[in-house]
């Protein structure tokens, strides 16, 4: 049979990077292309241990499961592959003595029941990886031995197979690193959020989930971070922009800032982060940020006298500022002080002018800098 073009097979091979279960389709293409009846692929980290990934085509269901434990101990074919050129297909009649093979246990107990007589096999080993991959393509005695043209045709696929397996192995390692990292972040005592770009959420821990559950100021919709607190939104936007434009991704470029989220005061830190994604072209790094929301441990009430003298405020204005830093809204401040909301709003307007701030959030942050250790 004249071997066909490999284009379809190569496309299938690289599709396994995203879908490992496509390997039987690859084996089926090679089997059909080489006029064969069955094949298998076993990926292991050592020659004498069971594969951690195994795929076969053309065998009865569970056929290998009945033989695997004993298969690799008595398989003359596999042993012969280790003594010949690696990363290359060899015919069984080339690497094994024919008479010895037909009288071997592997032939009578495994090959003959599956009507296998001829085969080609390859061991793929990469010096940069600890993986050993064995591929076998086989057919019965009614067919001829595999000739040099067929073997050469099959060998043309091996670099692609080896490359895709290496990529898949890198992805597995990368995913494990991500899982290990996420386990550390999940164990954090504070809410943590990681965004790719300016607002695309790629990770948040359970504490952040609890935080957004108890407030309307923060939310995540369709993997986008949404903020209704304009002061918090502006503060985060500035720091995120600085981080995304930074080169040193292990430094904090902006000082932490304080903001009320709901009724709780949080110290918020924004740091540069690199989100790594594995693709068929290798690892792609996306500039990202990690945000830590640490509840303020300080329960210190601001000293009204210090506020008054430092900013030149009236006693009433100083008290309004002090209540504002406790998370009170103007209506609650008015109720606490026994005054009208309009009066409180006018006092806050005066405080903004005297402190040269433009929002209540900026005013609170300014006040807290006097008392909170950063």
């Amino acid at each position: 049979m004249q071997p066909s073009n490999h284009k379809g097979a190569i496309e299938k091979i690289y599709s396994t990077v995203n879908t490992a279960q496509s390997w039987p389709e690859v084996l089926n293409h090679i089997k059909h292309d080489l006029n064969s009846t069955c094949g298998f692929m076993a990926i292991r980290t050592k020659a004498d241990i069971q594969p951690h990934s195994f795929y076969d085509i053309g065998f009865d269901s569970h056929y290998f499961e009945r033989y695997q434990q004993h298969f690799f101990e008595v398989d003359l074919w596999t042993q012969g592959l280790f003594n010949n050129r690696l990363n290359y297909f060899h015919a069984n009649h080339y690497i094994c003595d024919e008479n010895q093979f037909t009288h071997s246990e592997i032939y009578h107990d495994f090959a003959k029941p599956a009507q296998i007589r001829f085969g080609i096999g390859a061991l793929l080993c990469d010096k940069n990886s600890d993986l050993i991959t064995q591929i076998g393509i086989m057919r019965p005695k009614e067919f001829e031995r595999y000739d040099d043209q067929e073997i050469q045709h099959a060998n043309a696929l091996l670099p692609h197979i080896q490359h895709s397996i290496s990529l898949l192995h890198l992805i597995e390692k990368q995913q494990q690193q991500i899982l290990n990292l996420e386990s550390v972040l999940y164990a954090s005592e504070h809410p943590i959020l990681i965004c790719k770009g300016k607002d695309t959420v790629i990770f948040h821990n359970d504490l952040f989930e609890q935080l957004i559950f108890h407030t309307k100021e923060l939310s995540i919709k369709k993997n986008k971070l949404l903020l209704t607190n304009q002061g918090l939104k502006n503060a985060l936007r500035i720091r995120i922009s600085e981080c995304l434009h930074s080169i040193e991704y292990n430094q904090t470029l902006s000082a932490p800032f304080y903001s009320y989220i709901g009724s709780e005061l949080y110290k918020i830190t924004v740091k540069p982060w690199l989100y790594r994604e594995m693709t068929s072209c290798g690892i792609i790094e996306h500039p990202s940020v990690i945000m830590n929301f640490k509840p303020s441990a300080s329960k210190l009430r601001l000293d009204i006298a210090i506020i008054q003298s430092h900013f030149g405020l009236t006693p009433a204005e100083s008290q309004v500022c002090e209540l504002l830093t406790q998370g009170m809204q103007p209506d609650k401040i008015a109720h606490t002080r026994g005054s009208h909301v309009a009066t409180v709003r006018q006092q806050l307007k005066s405080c903004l002018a005297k402190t040269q701030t433009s929002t209540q959030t900026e005013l609170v942050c300014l006040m807290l800098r006097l008392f909170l250790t950063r």
Side-chain angles (χ1 to χ4, degrees):
M1 178 180 178
Q2 183 68 25
S4 63
N5 190 283
H6 274 326
K7 181 179 179 181
I10 292 173
E11 291 175 352
K12 282 293 182 185
I13 288 170
Y14 285 107
S15 73
T16 62
V17 175
N18 296 318
T19 309
Q21 297 307 315
S22 296
W23 278 117
E25 297 180 37
V26 174
L27 291 173
N28 191 53
H29 180 100
I30 300 174
K31 171 181 77 76
H32 177 76
D33 203 23
L34 298 181
N35 199 23
S36 303
T37 56
C38 52
F40 72 90
M41 183 171 74
I43 305 174
R44 59 173 76 86
T45 54
K46 291 183 180 180
D48 55 351
I49 66 172
Q50 295 299 304
H52 69 74
S53 298
F54 185 88
Y55 309 96
D56 66 273
I57 190 76
F59 290 93
D60 293 337
S61 180
H62 306 296
Y63 192 82
F64 267 87
E65 293 179 11
R66 296 194 294 269
Y67 295 98
Q68 266 199 19
Q69 186 61 45
H70 194 48
F71 178 88
F72 301 108
E73 298 175 1
V74 299
D75 183 13
L76 297 177
W77 188 23
T78 301
Q79 295 168 11
L81 288 174
F82 274 104
N83 295 322
N84 283 273
R85 178 182 173 185
L86 300 177
N87 307 317
Y88 192 86
F89 270 115
H90 301 281
N92 65 334
H93 64 270
Y94 174 78
I95 61 174
C96 296
D97 178 86
E98 285 283 276
N99 184 59
Q100 185 182 11
F101 178 70
T102 55
H103 289 84
S104 69
E105 184 177 345
I106 192 67
Y107 176 73
H108 285 283
D109 291 352
F110 177 81
K112 192 174 181 179
Q115 298 183 349
I116 294 171
R117 178 61 182 86
F118 304 112
I120 59 172
L123 283 179
L124 305 182
C125 299
D126 187 343
K127 63 180 180 181
N128 298 318
S129 173
D130 56 356
L131 295 180
I132 298 174
T133 301
Q134 180 180 0
I135 302 175
I137 303 296
M138 294 149 282
R139 59 194 185 196
K141 63 182 180 180
E142 289 78 13
F143 295 74
E144 296 180 353
R145 293 176 175 178
Y146 291 90
D147 59 32
D148 292 342
Q149 183 182 3
E150 289 176 313
I151 294 174
Q152 183 179 4
H153 186 70
N155 278 326
L157 289 175
L158 289 186
H160 301 288
I161 293 174
Q162 193 166 20
H163 187 209
S164 63
I165 292 173
S166 298
L167 285 174
L168 184 59
H169 191 46
L170 282 174
I171 289 174
E172 291 174 346
K173 286 186 175 180
Q174 185 73 12
Q175 289 174 338
Q176 188 58 51
Q177 290 175 3
I178 292 173
L179 290 174
N180 293 339
L181 174 61
E182 288 187 355
S183 66
V184 173
L185 296 178
Y186 271 119
S188 171
E189 298 178 354
H190 313 126
I192 287 180
L193 175 73
I194 299 178
C195 284
K196 181 174 67 173
K198 294 183 178 180
D199 59 2
T200 302
V201 177
I202 57 176
F203 174 84
H204 64 277
N205 63 2
D206 292 338
L207 291 177
F208 188 84
E209 187 74 31
Q210 295 176 25
L211 175 62
I212 61 177
F213 180 78
H214 292 98
T215 181
K216 295 181 179 179
E217 298 177 55
L218 289 169
S219 62
I220 299 175
K221 291 184 179 179
K222 295 182 179 179
N223 295 326
K224 295 290 185 180
L225 176 65
L226 303 177
L227 301 100
T228 59
N229 182 324
Q230 193 61 41
L232 175 60
K233 184 176 182 179
N234 291 339
L236 282 177
R237 182 182 295 167
I238 292 172
R239 287 162 175 80
I240 289 173
S241 180
E242 290 175 343
C243 289
L244 293 178
H245 286 87
S246 70
I247 298 177
E248 299 296 332
Y249 283 92
N250 58 355
Q251 296 181 2
T252 304
L253 300 182
S254 302
F257 68 100
Y258 294 88
S259 178
Y260 275 98
I261 300 176
S263 59
E264 293 292 326
L265 178 65
Y266 287 86
K267 178 183 179 181
I268 303 173
T269 305
V270 183
K271 294 183 178 180
W273 190 267
L274 278 179
Y275 170 65
R276 292 177 171 85
E277 180 182 16
M278 178 62 73
T279 72
S280 58
C281 298
I283 298 175
I284 296 178
E285 296 180 335
H286 301 278
S288 308
V289 294
I290 181 169
M291 292 172 254
N292 187 302
F293 296 75
K294 181 180 180 181
S296 176
S298 175
K299 301 300 181 181
L300 179 68
R301 293 178 65 89
L302 275 64
D303 189 313
I304 296 177
I306 294 178
I307 294 175
Q308 181 179 345
S309 62
H310 191 84
F311 295 104
L313 306 180
T314 67
E317 290 170 346
S318 300
Q319 187 178 27
V320 168
C321 285
E322 191 273 332
L323 294 174
L324 187 67
T325 61
Q326 294 182 39
M328 292 188 185
Q329 298 300 315
D331 55 346
K332 190 172 182 180
I333 293 175
H335 177 75
T336 301
R337 300 191 71 250
S339 59
H340 295 290
V341 175
T343 302
V344 172
R345 293 190 185 281
Q346 184 58 44
Q347 290 167 330
L348 284 173
K349 186 176 180 181
S350 177
C351 291
L352 293 175
K354 291 180 180 180
T355 59
Q356 297 182 347
T357 54
S358 56
T359 66
Q360 292 181 22
T361 300
E362 289 183 17
L363 178 60
V364 169
C365 291
L366 184 62
M367 297 293 152
L368 292 174
R369 289 194 189 103
L370 293 174
F371 298 92
L372 296 177
T373 300
R374 293 164 56 184

